[in-house]
Amino acid sequence: MSSTLFTAWGYEVSILEFVAAITSFVGVWLGTTGKRITCPWWALSSALYGVFFYQVELFASAALQLVFIAAAIYGWKGWAPTGVVPGSLSVRNRRNIAIGTIISVAVLSPVLSNIGAAATWSDAFLLIGSLVAQVMMVRQKYEAWIVWLIVDLAGTVQYAMLGYWFTAVLYAMFTVIAVIGWKRWYDSLRN
């Protein structure tokens, strides 16, 4: 692990975790604006968090960072230079996404257990839910923010229970940002 930058709530915050959290916060906040500049921040924070999560044996969360990097590249190429033009999903697509998420988490959880991951069903949900939200985000669907809200709440709980307090606080802030993003993108869709 990286050297300790400071101690918060009895938890040693590494330089790596701190820098990853700051770049991630900036990237997620920029995501609410729907501007393309979001994408490089996503890629950088994902690379940093990928290393951190691998070091603490949260393998699904580490793998997820590769998806985020790919999504950042796709978003950079797919979003218009002027930014996002939000759309919405059909009711059928919403239902299929929910069913697919539940089934995927049920399949991935035992795999994580078998490889000795630090968390199983919660980390599986963070991986699958984040994957779903990220795909919806790069496809410019405002419902992505609703999924992010749920995923970020779950992440807040998981990281707090595992004692990664700094990252838990970050995910709590992400939860608030998800509400802001949802409102901004939904208002943009209505206009």
Side-chain angles (χ1 to χ4, degrees):
M1 285 259 252
S2 302
S3 57
T4 300
L5 181 63
F6 62 90
T7 301
W9 309 288
Y11 170 69
E12 294 181 359
V13 178
S14 70
I15 294 169
L16 175 60
E17 184 179 10
F18 180 78
V19 174
I22 296 300
T23 57
S24 188
F25 181 83
V26 170
V28 171
W29 179 257
L30 287 171
T32 69
T33 68
K35 296 190 168 116
R36 283 179 68 196
I37 192 63
T38 300
C39 299
W41 285 92
W42 282 347
L44 175 60
S45 67
S46 298
L48 294 169
Y49 257 121
V51 173
F52 174 75
F53 287 137
Y54 182 79
Q55 288 177 346
V56 298
E57 298 180 346
L58 288 169
F59 302 127
S61 289
L64 175 61
Q65 303 313 304
L66 297 174
V67 172
F68 286 163
I69 292 168
I73 293 167
Y74 180 84
W76 182 259
K77 292 180 178 184
W79 287 7
T82 55
V84 170
V85 180
S88 63
L89 295 169
S90 68
V91 172
R92 180 179 177 198
N93 282 341
R94 289 178 191 164
R95 183 189 67 237
N96 291 343
I97 289 168
I99 291 168
T101 299
I102 292 166
I103 291 169
S104 297
V105 169
V107 169
L108 182 58
S109 294
V111 172
L112 291 173
S113 180
N114 287 338
I115 63 171
T120 55
W121 71 268
S122 60
D123 210 29
F125 176 72
L126 291 181
L127 171 63
I128 301 301
S130 296
L131 175 61
V132 167
Q134 191 66 46
V135 168
M136 290 169 57
M137 188 127 192
V138 297
R139 301 209 26 110
Q140 304 178 51
K141 304 301 181 189
Y142 86 92
E143 294 95 341
W145 289 106
I146 299 167
V147 178
W148 280 127
L149 174 67
I150 297 165
V151 168
D152 293 339
L153 280 171
T156 301
V157 172
Q158 173 179 286
Y159 298 127
M161 290 181 69
L162 292 171
Y164 301 116
W165 296 106
F166 196 74
T167 298
V169 169
L170 174 67
Y171 269 72
M173 290 188 295
F174 285 169
T175 303
V176 173
I177 292 172
V179 172
I180 294 166
W182 180 16
K183 180 172 178 2
R184 283 184 178 174
W185 282 36
Y186 183 71
D187 289 348
S188 179
L189 174 67
R190 288 190 335 195
N191 295 332

